[in-house]
Amino acid sequence: MTDMITIKNLTKIYRRGSEEIRAVDNLSFSVRAGEIVSITGPSGSGKTTLVNILGCLDNPTGGELSLQGREIFKDGLTLSEKELTLIRRQYFGYVFQKFFLLPTLTVLENITLPFVFGAGTNTDQTYIRELMTLLGIDKRANHLPSELSGGEMQRVAIARALATKPQVLIADEPTGNLDSKRTAEIKSLLSELNKRQNLTIILVTHDPDFARIADTVLEISDGRILSQK
Amino acid sequence: MNLLSLAYKNLQRRKLRSAFTIAGIALSAWVLVTLLGFNKGYEKSLNRDIDNMGFQIVLTAKGCPYEAATLMLKGGTGLRYMPEKLVEEVASAPEVAATTPMLMHAEFDPYKGENGGTVVYLGVDGETYPQMKAYFEFASGQWFSAPEAKEIVLGYEAAELEQREIGDMMLLPGSEEEFLVTGILKRTGTQDDGMIFMPLRTVQNVFNKQNLLTMLGIRLKQGIDSSAFEEKLYQLPDVQVVSMAQVKNTIISLVKSARVIVLSIAAIAFLIAVFGVLNTVLMSVFERYQEIGILKSIGALPKQIFAMIWIETILLCSGGCVAGIVFSYAFAGISEKLIRFFLPFAPNGELIFLSPDLILSAFAAITLTGMLGGILPALRAAHIRPLDAIRSEV
Ligand SMILES: Nc1ncnc2c1ncn2[C@@H]1O[C@H](COP(=O)(O)OP(=O)(O)OP(=O)(O)O)[C@@H](O)[C@H]1O
Ligand SMILES: [Mg+2]
């Protein structure tokens, strides 16, 4: 398997006055294409900071990051906001703990929102339908988010993240707001998407169950890797 | 779906707030369009009033030109007189096609209105005056039977006000005699509608102004240079030459100063409305901080977010503007009454003239200002980072 994302000596330092917080501390590893990486660790250990940088949503303070061999960050240098946007469009889909659906748009409109901004090549209607069926929200296409359950909203958010056929899905505690039954559903869904589309998934979770579907489990603490399985 | 429909849907989220913002713009657009329309209509109506006078030059006794100007169109107090023998002198000039002598007389009528008011009589020459006012038509009756007849002809509105018909006898304020109504004019849409006409000699005799005139209307022959002839008239002793062009300028300059104030008020109202839009859009940007961050994370470029917010501003402004223009048309009658109430002198006819180019320029002005104002919130939104959404705890 080829490397999707490679990081080397990646560091993120937050400064609050004279205080320095090393949220990510000199990390190096690779994520291979089609791999599911699960990141766990205590609160404040730097999980969100790490995946935001991996997903090119945030800049590291130091170190390197390359995407399929292309250098994105190196020694504090980075690409322009526009170039980063184009890279995000091309490679990534994001799912967060909160769903961030637009309340005035229907389910289908929310899912196809990335196309409004020109992300993805064009709207592949059959693929969108397939995706919605797979996620069990095909009957909800014309509903507003306010008419959905939490689990359904998160599945819509996942569909939106995948609508443009990204190669990497970044999911930061996607089941944090869901009960155990919904969590199990999302888990098997992600596993299914990974197998079908060879989707690379980088997942932050507190749920040890997710470790079962992961190829690699990274446990981090204070910005460092505690264990890697 | 595209950016436009997305922007439209965003506005629908806070329907009441959007509606109020649009109403603000609509109100100021209404004021602006109405005042601009007034700008045009007033001058137009004034021109028409003046063209309908039938003569280009009026000779009056020396006095204040402003007084003369209003006097000619409305009638007033503090009248000055000139000798009647002047008529021959002027009429014999080769430039003159026709003249008509007039004597205006004003009387206070304690029974007019609530607190009494001034009644104005115009003594005219039964021979020459009707020729000058060839467009006069009688609703009933005719001009006077003799130069010294105790008869009156009423303008359309005067007849309506006095509730008189042909054959009625009228006791006029300031006299002890009764006068016979011999004619009622059709509506002309000019000041003449409110006039009470009497034979010149009769006015002179009844009000003791023998051999005196207040005005002499002069019509020039075709192709005569009016200003050159005016110079010539000034050679006459103690007269004032009032040309219609001059009257118009005097009145317009009077109105212009009022207009500047009114237009500044309109401009301020308009600016307040634009700030209202700015405030609304800026607020909605702050409210949607996270959401805009998410749009960024799913691939929106800064310029696309800029466009989206800008379109929202433009939609609010142009929507309000269209509503305001509709108001202007719908309530033109009411606005006209209001303006007439506040204006010292208003010509007859349409005061507010709404033309397509005026509407278009008002629309452009408001929308362009909105676009300019919309740049700030749009820039703010464009610079929101995806991270701002994910990190903020709201
Ligand atoms: N914008 C910021 N400015 C300063 N410090 C920050 C900022 N963002 C995060 N931090 C700090 O960096 C550290 C790592 O935060 P991070 O959000 O990555 O942790 P996490 O592992 O995702 O925690 P949780 O499980 O609670 O989500 C924390 O100490 C946090 O306080
Ligand atoms: Mg976190």
Side-chain angles (χ1 to χ4, degrees), chain A residues 94-159:
Chain A
Y94 307 92
V95 178
F96 307 99
Q97 184 172 351
K98 286 173 71 183
F99 320 125
F100 295 120
L101 301 177
L102 268 61
T104 43
L105 304 187
T106 63
V107 164
L108 185 62
E109 285 169 334
N110 264 292
I111 293 171
T112 53
L113 197 54
F115 299 106
V116 172
F117 298 104
T121 41
N122 53 3
T123 328
D124 182 345
Q125 290 295 346
T126 39
Y127 169 68
I128 299 288
R129 280 284 153 197
E130 233 178 73
L131 196 60
M132 287 174 76
T133 313
L134 180 66
L135 289 161
I137 46 174
D138 49 324
K139 302 242 165 24
R140 299 292 196 163
N142 297 314
H143 287 242
L144 291 174
S146 57
E147 297 160 356
L148 303 181
S149 73
E152 284 169 326
M153 284 197 255
Q154 189 59 294
R155 281 180 274 161
V156 174
I158 292 172

Side-chain angles (χ1 to χ4, degrees), chain A residues 14 16 21 23 41-50 173 206, chain B residues 391:
Chain A
Y14 291 114
R16 257 195 228 116
I21 299 163
S43 183
S45 57
K47 305 182 294 294
T48 297
T49 307
L50 177 60
E173 300 190 48
H206 288 294
Chain B
R391 279 293 185 191

Side-chain angles (χ1 to χ4, degrees), chain B residues 69-132:
Chain B
T70 34
L71 171 118
M72 280 183 26
L73 287 153
K74 189 129 197 162
T77 46
L79 295 163
R80 288 159 196 272
Y81 303 96
M82 52 189 183
E84 199 174 351
K85 59 178 188 295
L86 239 138
V87 178
E88 285 162 38
E89 213 178 321
V90 174
S92 64
E95 294 94 335
V96 174
T99 61
T100 187
M102 288 169 274
L103 175 60
M104 193 172 264
H105 183 78
E107 276 292 336
F108 183 76
D109 177 5
Y111 303 110
K112 186 178 178 182
E114 265 176 43
N115 305 311
T118 311
V119 182
V120 179
Y121 310 114
L122 187 66
V124 297
D125 177 31
E127 289 287 312
T128 54
Y129 191 77
Q131 283 170 20
M132 292 264 193

Side-chain angles (χ1 to χ4, degrees), chain B residues 248-271:
Chain B
K248 197 178 89 183
N249 290 342
T250 307
I251 292 174
I252 284 177
S253 72
L254 274 175
V255 172
K256 214 168 237 163
S257 52
R259 220 157 56 180
V260 169
I261 296 171
V262 170
L263 280 178
S264 345
I265 293 170
I268 290 167
F270 165 55
L271 276 181

Side-chain angles (χ1 to χ4, degrees), chain B residues 46 84 95 113 129 142 219 225 280 298 300 337:
Chain B
L46 194 64
E84 199 174 351
E95 294 94 335
Y129 191 77
Q142 69 225 351
R219 192 166 71 213
D225 176 18
T280 299
I298 63 174
K337 280 207 181 75

